[in-house]
Amino acid sequence: MVAPTVSQINAEYVTQLSNRYWAPHVKKKMTFEPKVIEDVYQKEIVKTKFAIRKIMLLEFSQYLENYLWPNYSSEVSSNAYLMSICCMVNEKFRENVPAWEIFTQKPEHFPYFFKCILTASLAEENKGLTLREQTVLLVFLDHCFNSLEVDLIREQVQRLISLPMWICLLSTRLEHELKKTPKLRKFWNLIKKKEKMDEKSAEQANQEKRFLSCLISKFLGVLKSIPLSGPVSMDMIHYCERFIELMIDLEALLPTRRWFSTVLDDSHLVTHCYLSNLVQREKEGRLFCQLLEMLKFYTGFEINDQTGNALTENEMTTIHYDRITSLQRAAFAHFPELHDFALSNVAAVDTRESLVKHFGSLSANTLHKVASNLCLLPSLPEAEITCYNKLFLLEMLVSRHERRTSQIQQLNEMPLYPTERIIWDENIVPTEYYSGEGCLALPKLNLQFLTLHDYLLRNFNLFRLESTYEIRQDVEDAISRLKPWQGEYGGVVFGGWARMAQPIVTFSIVEVAKPNIGENWPARVRADVTINLNVRSQIREEWEALRKHDVCFLITVRPVLAYGTKFDRKQPFAEQYGLVFVRGCEIQGMLDEKGRVIEDGPEPKPKLKGDSRTYRVWLDPNQYQQDMSFSVQSGAEDVYETFNIIMRRKPKENNFKAVLETIRNLMNTECVVPDWLHDIILGYGDPGSAHYSKMPNQISKLDLNDTFLSIEHLKAGFPGCTIKTTVENSALQKPPFRITFPLQLGKGKKRKGENDDGEKEETTTLIVEPHVIPNRGPYPYNQPKRNTIQFTPTQIEAIRAGMQPGLTMVVGPPGTGKTDVAVQIISNLYHNFPEQRTLIVTHSNQALNQLFEKIMALDIDERHLLRLGHGEEELETEKDFSRYGRVNYVLARRLELLREVGRLQESLGVPGDVSYTCETAGHFYLYQVMSRWEEYLSKVKTKCGKSGDVTTVSENFPFHKYFANAPQPIFKGQSYEEDMEIAEGCFRHINKIFTQLEEFRAFELLRSGLDRSKYLLVKEAKIIAMTCTHAALKRHDLVELGFKYDNILMEEAAQILEIETFIPLLLQNPEDGFSRLKRWIMIGDHHQLPPVIKNMAFQKYSNMEQSLFTRFVRLGVPTVDLDAQGRARASLCNLYNWRYKKLGNLPHVQILPEFCTANAGLVYDFQLINVEDFNGIGESEPNPYFYQNLAEAEYAVALFMYMRLLGYPAERISILTTYNGQKHLIRDVINQRCGGNPLIGRPSKVTTVDRFQGQQNDYIILSLVRTKAVGHLRDVRRLVVAMSRARLGLYIFARVSLFQNCFELTPAFNQLTARPLQLHIVPSEYHPTDRRNGNIPTHLMRVIKNMPEMANFVYNMYMQMIQNMHQYRKQLLPPPVPQSIKEPAPVPDIDNVEETEESVPENEDEETTEEDFKKMPEHPGRDSDSEGSGTEEDKEN
């Protein structure tokens, strides 16, 4: 779907209307006319058959915000008005932008509007709206039901789905349900009493109660009108699909399901659907069938609708048995022809075949009577014939009573690898061109889930399908490169080659193991695959480097096209390439010449001769069993005889199977989430219930260690609190401090946790107790490392909350010190709870490394640190914190400590070799060191009432000789107390040596590196760090080892997928059925970019990009919002601080010289520069979503070159863009213009905004690329990231007319457009400058009108600079030229400069660049073909 261009937008009728009536930039608007709405709806929406392009234009023009809703009232309401509002809201949801804000600002007319929507939804087609229009209303209602967190929506929706809706049930069914739950009868009687209201209210209440039931009846009418064959209106089919989607969403949320599920069951909707003509229509009914399967799954979901508790396997079996036995009792009492059925045991009659056999022979009337006995249908009067079809009656009874396979059993039997049937099914895995219009057979991740099983299952399915989408792209890429054609005599001929795929020479199954007890699939299936690696050595090495558990794909192609035929990208892939089968497999290892698997290990791998390589692979046993059963039953060919291609994938993208196995294992185990978290994760109960103020085990006295720099800092950190210190003497009021907090026990349930905290804070008294850290020894390195950051009050609240038990959520806007807060929490937990272990989880290795580097600067013993995963290589320290690195550290430290023991032994004159092992050292400590220390204490300790003698402390000290290498004198001799503290510090130093050796003793007993590393992980390490992906991959191994932890801290939590956030909570086995997790600290920023989801359908339709952090914020879980940034100038911060509750600046942003000084050579510290088309071209799109804009690329690079010529360091400038295509184009332009020129060079980074999240630079040049439609910058989160990367200067190149109209971006673009839209420069002002920011330059200013002018200007400036250098260098003698170097040939005057200027090795570089610049066009217009310049390699590498 192509977005409209700016010129098209301007030419549109809508735009002309909006310029008169509602455009935000128009000052004099015409008065409101309802006829305008009628006209727009008929001409622009109905006439174009709801063309998405027209609706996009209307929504983008701010039609809803500035015209529709502000003028809505009951007087002007009409069908066209309702439909226009619904279309705009649906479009906002399709575009993924906030939809309800405008309604919440003006809520008074919403109840009337919603009532009109309900009426219109039920209207007959000939009386009101067409089916197409009613489908729009269904989509709108679905969005309402999925937005229960919005108070305004929830008030209206709750009336449709509450207990009174049971008035629609059969009277016998109602009685049956009320009998089941006695509590409900009380409520039902109360409702009946309350029903005395005026006529109008009663009528509305009745309409609301019966709405969903009437909607179901209306749907069944539409469904039954669809013929079995012949033409059918697609409007009918879309209506049916959207209706089933609405039903699924109502069943998949507990608040709506609780009452609705019974009404749905009573309507027998699922049975009606299964017997409908639409299901029989293969083409049109395919998506409907898939949606119906989902609905059937949720109607039978294993949950108690009233309590919300998950039902166990036994409870499900009991329910099933109760249903069958009640049917048997009814049969026994009233139907003698069913005697055999009534007397059989349950297992003999509960299969579909058995039930059909017993009931199939009965008449329709008899079946009706059986059903009415079970309260499923109204009773049939005597002598009347039933109006129901016999097939329907039979299906209703059978489907209700047949035995079901349990959900967990279905999951365990499911293959984990996708096959060709799923990979190319666009209802399940849509293409990249998903526009958001249709509905899909996909689960959705919204706010709430039914049970943990439902939560895991939805995530499992979506994760599996997102991986399938990536696999599809890889398969299509590899196969298309291989170019399979049909040979002359049949068979396959490969006309190309692929790095990631090889033709298979032979394939054979070598083992099918017996099934495990209770399973019907083999325990394992292994096969051998032989390929011929007659390829470049680098690619051969990649194939030989395939490791155990790497996933590959086995593919069968049977090409239909003759050799040399061109492939058409637009045609369906599988048919065109003749792709028949795709199966996954897992590498066990490569075979050596004797046919044995070469194991992974430290020893070198054997060198194999020739090009032939054979791999032993594991196949998926479930898939194998399904394929074999199908082949036997239908006589189809054996899939495993046909494979002719094996494909591998990049290791980084290939961990999907391990993650899926982890989720499946979680669903099979007793998944124990701490009680205090369970309801919040599912989205129920009080969202603030896990806040520390409501936790029963909160801790009143905490040691805040080095959090505070002084008592003044402490007082400033708790505004509104009374501070009482335990010591009056101000000289003693020094950190560290222990603080006693009054316990806050949250009363009542408020929606937001912060409100009640604020009220109590006013009268809070904190008792502060300064304490002295005991002396640790006489060496300088014994002194503890100290925090140097002056934390703000909100940062202190975050640190305090993180130390208390419970859930802590910290929202950290850009530059607010999230990492510093995280590190301080970790340090404080380490010191307060030395026996507890903390797990750190981040999204990226880079964030983990930043955390680790800061942790090492604090007072944490490095033997307690451990880093798991592959990113430890990038740590910018000489120390290795990986498992084996830590083992080596411990072994080296052990030797070091034993040497110290030897030195101590020598200093004490003790004979023998006591420093041989940790054990002998332990004996030495016990018998030699302790005895001397105790003897010393008995001599120097004061008798009661007497003051100690200073001299005795030093004279009797037994370890003088050992401490001879410490700074002297050790004892100051000024006071007894001081010297005694020093003596005790010395002994603590000695004591620590032996404590550590005792800890390291296990490493003497454990001999293998693996055992030692396991011991380290399970026992020794106190702070363990890993990425979320590593946690998901290795969960099984960690649980098996007995890994334990008490606290989790997650950084970048808003960038982690929901499921990858959840798995780290369950990396340990529960103890006695309880989780030992005490704290969960999540630090992130949901206003920045979410997790990356490549497929638009999963991202938009399924909401898979929603992180757990964002969901918790939407649910109203209390957060601590950091409110002071120290990264950017205050003026730059204003471009994004409107997105946060309250974001100010730290004092240094206003004081430090770098923030106060202007950007040299540039008039403004930020500017939006308008870029028009160049040579008639704006944006271009050589590949899908691969957008480029040459004018912006050239302009951005010209500005970079200009800044470099003024003296800005290259490493302080980064060029960012919003699209990958533009990134490649800018890199091309840099290579052509200045990349090899030592005077200019390259910027620090050229990358996309998304990739640069979490990083920063002083000066950012940003290209927004698009000129036709705003594209994905409409996501405000991307705008926030883009605006917040710069510290000192931000220069944005964009088509201003496009972006300034965008409603979501107005707060930023209003500030940007307030400044001139042409680049203002000061060419003669060099970096650094003394001009203060905001002051008018004293030098001459110049306004650049367009890109060619800037390019010319920079070119001339460069030439001038070379000339000046030439003049300057003429005064110097040229350096002597060695004889061996030939004199360069004479060149024009300007190049002689180079010769005299450069006799350094860069000579050649500069000369060639100079030549390039000679050729550099005055109007750069190279249409860079970036397709070849980066993307191809990207695909290959």
Side-chain angles (χ1 to χ4, degrees), residues 23-75:
H25 56 269
V26 177
K27 297 286 178 280
K28 283 190 177 178
K29 297 185 180 74
M30 294 173 75
T31 52
F32 170 72
E33 290 178 43
K35 190 174 181 311
V36 171
I37 291 171
E38 205 72 41
D39 282 357
V40 168
Y41 181 66
Q42 291 304 334
K43 287 181 188 168
E44 297 295 305
I45 298 179
V46 175
K47 201 173 172 187
T48 63
K49 296 185 177 168
F50 293 81
I52 198 115
R53 201 174 135 273
K54 298 284 187 184
I55 293 175
M56 267 173 81
L57 268 179
L58 275 167
E59 190 276 322
F60 190 68
S61 72
Q62 303 185 28
Y63 186 40
L64 176 66
E65 292 86 349
N66 294 344
Y67 204 67
L68 288 175
W69 191 246
N71 297 306
Y72 182 80
S73 65
S74 52
E75 292 79 47

Side-chain angles (χ1 to χ4, degrees), residues 76 136 1021 1118 1234 1437:
V76 293
V136 172
C1234 58
N1437 289 335

Side-chain angles (χ1 to χ4, degrees), residues 554-809:
L554 302 163
I555 301 166
T556 303
V557 288
R558 291 192 184 128
V560 287
L561 299 178
Y563 192 91
T565 316
K566 265 204 159 184
F567 294 102
D568 181 0
R569 271 184 166 185
K570 290 173 186 166
Q571 294 301 318
F573 179 85
E575 291 89 59
Q576 189 176 188
Y577 283 87
L579 195 142
V580 189
F581 301 119
V582 177
R583 296 289 181 272
C585 65
E586 199 173 338
I587 299 283
Q588 184 183 353
M590 200 160 59
L591 301 187
D592 61 16
E593 285 160 343
K594 293 181 181 169
R596 291 176 305 206
V597 173
I598 303 167
E599 293 294 340
D600 285 344
E603 54 280 341
K605 294 196 172 169
K607 287 276 178 207
L608 300 178
K609 294 171 190 163
D611 294 333
S612 184
R613 299 286 180 273
T614 302
Y615 295 91
R616 174 87 23 100
V617 298
W618 288 296
L619 300 173
D620 188 323
N622 287 331
Q623 185 67 55
Y624 184 79
Q625 192 263 338
Q626 284 180 17
D627 286 335
M628 288 298 125
S629 305
F630 181 71
S631 154
V632 168
Q633 286 162 13
S634 63
E637 65 180 326
D638 180 356
V639 175
Y640 299 89
E641 300 282 321
T642 65
F643 298 131
N644 50 13
I645 296 171
I646 182 169
M647 184 194 87
R648 64 190 171 92
R649 300 179 70 218
K650 291 178 189 169
K652 269 191 176 176
E653 298 163 5
N654 207 15
N655 50 32
F656 76 97
K657 179 173 183 272
V659 176
L660 291 175
E661 273 183 333
T662 294
I663 303 174
R664 187 156 76 177
N665 289 344
L666 278 176
M667 291 161 89
N668 275 296
T669 53
E670 192 55 45
C671 184
V672 179
V673 172
D675 291 343
W676 50 273
L677 267 180
H678 186 276
D679 284 0
I680 290 182
I681 283 177
L682 293 180
Y684 301 112
D686 172 17
S689 60
H691 188 257
Y692 72 86
S693 61
K694 296 187 181 176
M695 293 292 283
N697 57 340
Q698 59 182 297
I699 301 155
S700 90
K701 193 172 190 176
L702 288 171
D703 180 356
L704 274 104
N705 200 21
D706 56 354
T707 307
F708 300 102
L709 307 183
S710 63
I711 189 74
E712 288 72 30
H713 181 200
L714 187 148
K715 286 174 180 170
F718 293 104
C721 295
T722 312
I723 307 290
K724 284 189 180 171
T725 48
T726 53
V727 290
E728 296 302 320
N729 184 348
S730 57
L732 296 175
Q733 293 177 356
K734 287 182 181 170
F737 300 110
R738 285 195 192 95
I739 304 182
T740 306
F741 297 96
L743 289 181
Q744 303 181 353
L745 290 168
K747 291 176 182 130
K749 288 190 176 182
K750 294 201 176 183
R751 181 142 183 86
K752 289 275 180 193
E754 299 105 323
N755 304 354
D756 43 2
D757 290 351
E759 291 159 24
K760 292 175 196 148
E761 210 78 81
E762 291 165 25
T763 54
T764 303
T765 303
L766 307 182
I767 298 159
V768 176
E769 175 195 338
H771 66 98
V772 179
I773 294 176
N775 188 315
R776 294 183 182 179
Y779 298 99
Y781 65 78
N782 288 133
Q783 296 312 308
K785 297 173 190 166
R786 285 284 172 86
N787 160 49
T788 55
I789 293 160
Q790 181 142 4
F791 291 112
T792 64
T794 48
Q795 285 177 319
I796 288 161
E797 172 55 26
I799 292 166
R800 170 195 175 181
M803 293 170 71
Q804 291 282 8
L807 171 64
T808 301
M809 303 242 314

Side-chain angles (χ1 to χ4, degrees), residues 1106-1229:
Q1106 175 177 266
S1107 62
L1108 189 73
F1109 186 90
T1110 309
R1111 183 161 72 89
F1112 278 2
V1113 171
R1114 281 181 67 200
L1115 281 167
V1117 173
T1119 56
V1120 179
D1121 294 56
L1122 302 183
D1123 57 7
Q1125 69 88 28
R1127 173 189 293 173
R1129 291 186 199 273
S1131 55
L1132 290 177
C1133 177
N1134 290 338
L1135 293 172
Y1136 56 88
N1137 66 5
W1138 51 271
R1139 196 73 188 93
Y1140 297 92
K1141 285 181 192 168
K1142 184 183 139 205
L1143 177 59
N1145 302 295
L1146 288 169
H1148 73 254
V1149 172
Q1150 269 107 349
I1151 300 163
L1152 286 182
E1154 65 171 339
F1155 293 106
C1156 299
T1157 312
N1159 295 341
L1162 295 154
V1163 177
Y1164 299 103
D1165 52 4
F1166 68 81
Q1167 227 190 323
L1168 172 64
I1169 297 121
N1170 187 39
V1171 184
E1172 290 302 330
D1173 286 359
F1174 176 60
N1175 291 343
I1177 298 171
E1179 71 175 54
S1180 57
E1181 191 182 7
N1183 287 332
Y1185 302 114
F1186 194 80
Y1187 293 102
Q1188 299 186 326
N1189 183 325
L1190 183 63
E1192 285 186 21
E1194 290 280 8
Y1195 212 151
V1197 173
L1199 177 59
F1200 163 70
M1201 290 163 66
Y1202 168 71
M1203 291 172 77
R1204 286 291 291 124
L1205 294 175
L1206 290 180
Y1208 285 88
E1211 68 277 1
R1212 292 176 64 188
I1213 307 170
S1214 292
I1215 303 182
L1216 302 184
T1217 175
T1218 42
Y1219 288 91
N1220 258 323
Q1222 185 74 343
K1223 172 189 77 177
H1224 288 299
L1225 180 55
I1226 291 171
R1227 286 179 182 173
D1228 277 2
V1229 174

Side-chain angles (χ1 to χ4, degrees), residues 77-123:
S77 183
S78 66
N79 278 351
Y81 211 139
L82 293 179
M83 290 303 304
S84 301
I85 292 175
C86 289
C87 285
M88 294 305 105
V89 170
N90 292 351
E91 174 60 15
K92 280 189 180 293
F93 272 95
R94 192 189 74 82
E95 292 264 2
N96 236 3
V97 293
W100 301 119
E101 284 174 6
I102 185 71
F103 297 97
T104 50
Q105 287 162 17
K106 188 172 175 276
E108 58 274 15
H109 293 298
F110 192 78
Y112 179 78
F113 165 72
F114 195 75
K115 183 182 151 213
C116 294
I117 294 284
L118 300 185
T119 311
S121 303
L122 296 175

Side-chain angles (χ1 to χ4, degrees), residues 224-250:
K224 284 172 183 167
S225 66
I226 295 175
L228 184 59
S229 57
V232 63
S233 157
M234 287 312 286
D235 286 351
M236 282 179 153
I237 288 171
H238 291 321
Y239 179 84
C240 293
E241 289 167 352
R242 284 294 190 182
F243 181 84
I244 297 293
E245 181 195 4
L246 175 63
M247 295 297 104
I248 293 167
D249 287 350
L250 290 173

Side-chain angles (χ1 to χ4, degrees), residues 481-495:
R481 286 171 189 279
L482 279 172
K483 294 181 183 163
W485 284 308
Q486 195 174 28
E488 282 180 50
Y489 308 106
V492 185
V493 180
F494 294 104

